[in-house]
Amino acid sequence: MSDTNSPAHQGASATHPGKYARVERERRFLMPGPPDPSTVTATRMITDRYLTGTRLRLRRVELPDGTLERKLTQKVPARRPGGTGGVQGLITNTYLSAAEYDLLATLPAEVLTKTRYSVAPLGVDVFGGHLDGLVLAEAEFTTDEEAHAFAFPAGCVAEVTDDPRFTGGRLVGTTRRDLLAWLAEHGLHPE
């Protein structure tokens, strides 16, 4: 007899946190432009492939020394009443070999590219392509208390943690026109 409550029977919308998922706590902020180069401690080039019809993201990270990191990520959004306190949901990462990545990269996906700058305590993403002009800063936390206590970073213009328009899964399919309108709501007008 099969279990009708198992994830296999619940379809793609099933949420089963499992023992490998961890809570992702982060806060996101809009910045008017890239960080001052003198404040940057590390740089990475990131290509995200959001696999069509799934909650899966295939990520390729190129480090300055040419090293490549490849991983498959599943993000399951949080469903918490009231404020999220920076809790975005559950995240599961699987690191991949080059052959595994190359195989998964053949699947249909929408692609997003960005350069990530480390500017303690933030990761600052400067987007390319149709998202050119978008700069998002993120801070990650291990506890709800840390997330709540985090002070609004200098140089940022707005917090967008709870605005789903500023998540990678949404941004990847956003039109340039929509992005410019969203940024204008916060007084930002990239060329």
Side-chain angles (χ1 to χ4, degrees):
M1 180 179 218
S2 67
D3 179 343
T4 57
N5 290 323
S6 73
H9 284 84
Q10 293 177 0
S13 64
T15 301
H16 185 272
K19 63 182 179 182
Y20 301 108
R22 68 171 176 80
V23 173
E24 181 181 43
R25 292 176 184 87
E26 65 183 16
R27 290 178 57 191
R28 287 186 304 278
F29 306 88
L30 280 175
M31 293 184 68
D36 181 324
S38 67
T39 64
V40 175
T41 59
T43 304
R44 297 170 294 295
M45 300 297 298
I46 297 174
T47 302
D48 286 334
R49 299 179 56 81
Y50 288 84
L51 302 181
T52 305
T54 75
R55 296 177 300 202
L56 301 175
R57 178 187 71 202
L58 189 59
R59 174 169 280 183
R60 179 182 182 272
V61 180
E62 184 175 346
L63 303 171
D65 66 1
T67 303
L68 295 178
E69 179 181 276
R70 302 164 192 89
K71 61 184 172 179
L72 179 66
T73 300
Q74 179 190 50
K75 288 190 171 192
V76 178
R79 289 186 177 86
R80 290 173 47 159
T84 64
V87 173
Q88 300 302 302
L90 298 173
I91 185 169
T92 307
N93 287 307
T94 301
Y95 288 84
L96 304 172
S97 69
E100 291 166 337
Y101 177 90
D102 290 345
L103 176 65
L104 292 171
T106 65
L107 296 172
E110 292 184 88
V111 179
L112 181 148
T113 60
K114 59 190 177 183
T115 303
R116 177 165 292 164
Y117 299 97
S118 295
V119 182
L122 303 169
V124 179
D125 292 337
V126 177
F127 290 81
H130 72 287
L131 300 175
D132 188 46
L134 174 62
V135 181
L136 283 174
E138 292 183 351
E140 294 188 5
F141 310 95
T142 56
T143 68
D144 290 348
E145 294 76 23
E146 286 177 359
H148 286 294
F150 188 72
F152 190 90
C156 293
V157 297
E159 181 165 2
V160 292
T161 299
D162 295 324
D163 188 337
R165 298 177 300 179
F166 292 98
T167 61
R170 178 81 181 269
L171 287 168
V172 73
T174 297
T175 66
R176 178 85 180 148
R177 181 179 179 180
D178 284 344
L179 174 68
L180 293 176
W182 299 345
L183 292 175
E185 290 174 19
H186 298 285
L188 298 174
H189 303 279
E191 296 182 20

